[in-house]
Amino acid sequence: MDVSEERLRKLDSLVAGGEEPFGVGQGLADRRLIAEILGAEDPDAEPQAGVCIAGRVTALRDHGNSMFFDLRDVSGRLQAYLQKKVVGPERFELLKNGLDLGDFLAVSGGLGRTRKGEPTVFASAAQLLTKSLAGMPKEHFGLADVETRYRQRYVDLAANPESFERFQIRSQALAEMRRFLEQRAFMEVETPVLHPIAGGAAAKPFITHHNTLDIDLYLRIAPELYLKRLLVGGFERVFEIGRNFRNEGLSPRHNPEFTMLEAYWAYARGYDWLPLVETLLSDLVREHGAFGRGDAELRETQLPWGDAGVVVDFAPPFARRSYAELLREHADADAFDEASLHAAARREQIDVEGRTIAQVTDDLFGACVEEHLVQPTFVTDFPLTMSPLSKAAPEDARVAERFELFAAGMELANGFSELNDPAEQLARFEAQVSSRDPELPSEVDHDYVNALRYGMPPAAGIGIGVDRLVMLLTATPTIRDVILFPLLRPTGRS
RNA sequence: GGGGGUGUAACUCAGUCGGUAGAGUAACGGCCUUUUAAGCCGUGAGCCGUGGGUUCGAGUCCCACCGCCCCCA
């Protein structure tokens, strides 16, 4: 008889004994109140306050005529103590023989402490809320198999407290980002995910089809072009937090669907974002980082990258380095000289044939420079050739007023002064189309150009990769560990 | 797409030179009314990822395939 057969047998005996293994819930004490009671009372006092708590049984310690069990809910673990002499022999035997790790249980009784000081509900009554029919890994060992952790995230969350906490931090970080922007008068908006033209970034899109209109549509690779249409309409500060989809490889830093924060700020210039980004990131690391909580001064996070790990210091200001300077330093190439870039690319065995200079430059930067950008660094003054949606810098037409933020060798953010000249934008779109690059749109987004004809105020835009930011906050080296249900190849097994 | 690694009980993992499949936990039975990885005694538990091959004999060696992980393109 295997584990689930045993549990079905117990289910029958519990039902026969009057339990409702899949019944309705009931009102329960807030465990924060319990914490207050425990904090206020005399630790030596007899249990007095009557409480009712519920949770999942994560440990069972059977002493024959009494038993301890740990009940875990979202607030943590609380011990309950069940005694035969209190609940009566029939009830006691029914629960003792029927309970398993993983079951949900409600317990009411006096709240107090054991001789060893452990906060405990001394149960006068206990009621099964839900029977768990599948064997749960014991908490002490957890669930280590990464494939099971991703395919059955519910088991991972239930068995691995650090995974549970990681996703709580992700949620807190998202809430903090919204609060940060709303405090600065940014308005959250929702723009389409289904795009007739996949624009706003260089990436291969997912293609889908709408039956009634009988048209192919793309899952968005970026919300950028829609958000900027809103600036034309008069909204001056907008942001969107949402999923982007890029039909590309999977890696520890890439998932085909990922979460991006994009914000647009009318009348600002690209580099106006820098102090805001410094404040947002250092606040996030201090308030929500896995290693920063509770310490107002600490803005560092210890990352398990490399052999020894690395400490990343998010205290502002972050370093600023120009793109050309970094490319010169680490790739010995001139960012504005095509022959020099091609020569450096060949040295690094980067494909040159049939590829645009923007792609070659980007690959060269990725191969030679990114790994060196461990401490938070704003890379500034991107070559205009690789910034098709950016306005040229007034001081130097070769570059855009564009930056990317790197930390721990990862790109975290990308922002710039937005191009708002419709004729210039049209020319750049036409150049993209004629390049026949599969990562660039195959047709010109004439409606976007038309929107610009109505007039878009000068503006600064930014995109922040939320998943990677959460990786930094939680010192997690794999994007799959900060995405609840990462993409895996489906299996036929049940 | 290429290379490397990995897959053994519900969970975490051993398995030597090719020679009867192992431990802890969980489960089951027994004892135990303050434990907290509870303890003690006992029992059952396996498509060794899948399919071929070599061999008297394969978890182990070879080939292919599948999943997952890492690196590279």
Side-chain angles (χ1 to χ4, degrees):
Chain A
M1 192 178 269
D2 71 15
V3 171
S4 47
E5 285 175 303
E6 284 290 351
R7 290 186 176 217
L8 284 169
R9 183 183 63 74
K10 291 179 180 181
L11 178 75
D12 290 341
S13 74
L14 286 162
V15 169
E19 294 292 311
E20 287 187 58
F22 300 106
V24 297
Q26 53 176 273
L28 297 163
D30 186 326
R31 288 206 188 177
R32 284 172 296 185
L33 294 176
I34 289 173
E36 284 176 26
I37 294 167
L38 285 167
E41 66 160 7
D42 176 359
D44 298 325
E46 287 296 305
Q48 287 178 349
V51 297
C52 183
I53 63 164
R56 167 168 259 147
V57 177
T58 56
L60 265 171
R61 295 178 289 280
D62 174 14
H63 289 259
N65 292 312
S66 71
M67 57 195 299
F68 293 92
F69 36 84
D70 292 345
L71 284 185
R72 204 179 73 203
D73 73 0
V74 73
S75 71
R77 184 192 75 96
L78 186 59
Q79 177 172 265
Y81 186 47
L82 190 70
Q83 297 173 91
K84 186 190 267 184
K85 73 174 183 195
V86 175
V87 298
E90 299 82 12
R91 222 40 225 141
F92 185 82
E93 292 301 322
L94 181 71
L95 291 168
K96 177 182 164 180
N97 293 328
L99 276 183
D100 283 303
L101 296 180
D103 291 350
F104 286 90
L105 194 70
V107 169
S108 55
L111 179 64
R113 290 175 187 270
T114 61
R115 282 174 205 161
K116 298 198 175 170
E118 177 81 17
T120 300
V121 176
F122 293 86
S124 53
Q127 181 197 344
L128 181 73
L129 294 178
T130 302
K131 186 69 189 157
S132 167
L133 296 172
M136 188 72 68
K138 193 172 179 183
E139 202 168 30
H140 177 68
F141 294 96
L143 178 67
D145 182 77
V146 290
E147 189 177 345
T148 308
R149 288 186 48 236
Y150 300 148
R151 289 194 192 280
Q152 294 176 265
R153 182 67 85 184
Y154 41 93
V155 181
D156 176 47
L157 293 169
N160 294 332
E162 65 283 3
S163 184
F164 193 89
E165 189 180 9
R166 194 177 297 126
F167 289 104
Q168 288 179 308
I169 291 173
R170 180 179 177 127
S171 175
Q172 290 162 5
L174 277 163
E176 176 61 33
M177 283 184 256
R178 286 196 162 91
R179 194 159 47 237
F180 183 92
L181 287 165
E182 281 159 5
Q183 277 170 354
R184 287 161 177 78
F186 283 84
M187 181 176 85
E188 182 165 9
V189 296
E190 295 169 281
T191 65
V193 170
L194 296 173
H195 286 188
I197 299 170
K204 290 180 194 141
F206 288 91
I207 304 171
T208 186
H209 187 80
H210 187 265
N211 291 338
T212 303
L213 295 180
D214 191 24
I215 51 169
D216 282 342
L217 292 165
Y218 303 97
L219 300 188
R220 69 174 172 200
I221 58 174
E224 173 156 354
L225 299 182
Y226 285 91
L227 290 170
K228 284 194 280 194
R229 284 170 166 96
L230 299 180
L231 299 182
V232 173
F235 290 125
E236 294 177 355
R237 300 184 187 193
V238 294
F239 75 98
E240 180 163 14
I241 296 176
R243 214 68 62 82
N244 289 348
F245 305 85
R246 297 184 183 177
N247 204 340
E248 290 162 357
L250 296 89
S251 87
R253 295 176 192 195
H254 297 85
N255 195 62
E257 55 180 299
F258 63 99
T259 300
M260 180 89 107
L261 162 65
E262 283 202 12
Y264 291 85
W265 181 7
Y267 312 115
R269 290 177 62 161
Y271 296 153
D272 290 338
W273 284 115
L274 269 50
L276 265 68
V277 170
E278 285 170 342
T279 304
L280 174 63
L281 259 66
S282 59
D283 284 358
L284 281 169
V285 170
R286 191 181 61 240
E287 302 297 333
H288 301 288
F291 296 88
R293 281 159 303 146
D295 184 341
E297 298 307 311
L298 187 61
R299 294 175 191 231
E300 298 180 340
T301 189
Q302 170 85 43
L303 302 172
W305 273 291
D307 293 332
V310 60
V311 173
V312 180
D313 179 359
F314 284 93
F318 301 165
R320 299 187 187 193
R321 302 290 305 281
S322 85
Y323 192 96
E325 185 184 306
L326 288 164
L327 212 55
R328 169 64 66 198
E329 181 176 326
H330 296 290
D332 192 28
D334 181 343
F336 307 113
D337 183 85
E338 204 159 315
S340 166
L341 290 165
H342 276 141
R346 285 193 197 90
R347 284 199 297 276
E348 294 295 323
Q349 281 147 30
I350 290 165
D351 259 354
V352 171
E353 295 311 312
R355 306 185 67 229
T356 64
I357 192 64
Q359 287 173 318
V360 171
T361 311
D362 193 43
D363 282 0
L364 190 61
F365 192 87
C368 299
V369 183
E370 287 184 7
E371 63 182 303
H372 299 288
L373 302 175
V374 175
Q375 296 306 320
T377 303
F378 289 115
V379 178
T380 59
D381 298 333
F382 271 61
L384 195 66
T385 50
M386 50 199 309
S387 310
L389 300 165
S390 305
K391 185 177 285 187
E395 308 81 13
D396 182 352
R398 297 176 306 171
V399 302
E401 201 168 74
R402 172 182 173 198
F403 66 93
E404 287 189 357
L405 175 66
F406 284 81
M410 282 193 301
E411 180 198 335
L412 284 181
N414 173 24
F416 45 84
S417 292
E418 303 297 335
L419 178 61
N420 62 348
D421 175 343
E424 173 69 15
Q425 188 66 77
L426 176 62
R428 294 203 205 168
F429 278 165
E430 283 171 342
Q432 286 185 335
V433 170
S434 63
S435 77
R436 298 184 162 275
D437 183 330
E439 296 199 345
L440 293 175
S442 56
E443 59 181 298
V444 170
D445 190 339
H446 286 291
D447 182 73
Y448 179 70
V449 175
N450 197 36
L452 294 184
R453 287 182 56 244
Y454 283 84
M456 182 177 88
I462 190 172
I464 297 176
V466 171
D467 309 277
R468 290 176 175 184
L469 183 54
V470 176
M471 288 168 69
L472 283 172
L473 289 176
T474 57
T476 303
T478 305
I479 199 168
R480 296 181 197 94
D481 279 325
V482 300
I483 292 174
L484 281 165
F485 299 99
L487 182 66
L488 297 183
R489 186 182 293 281
T491 62
R493 75 182 187 181
S494 58

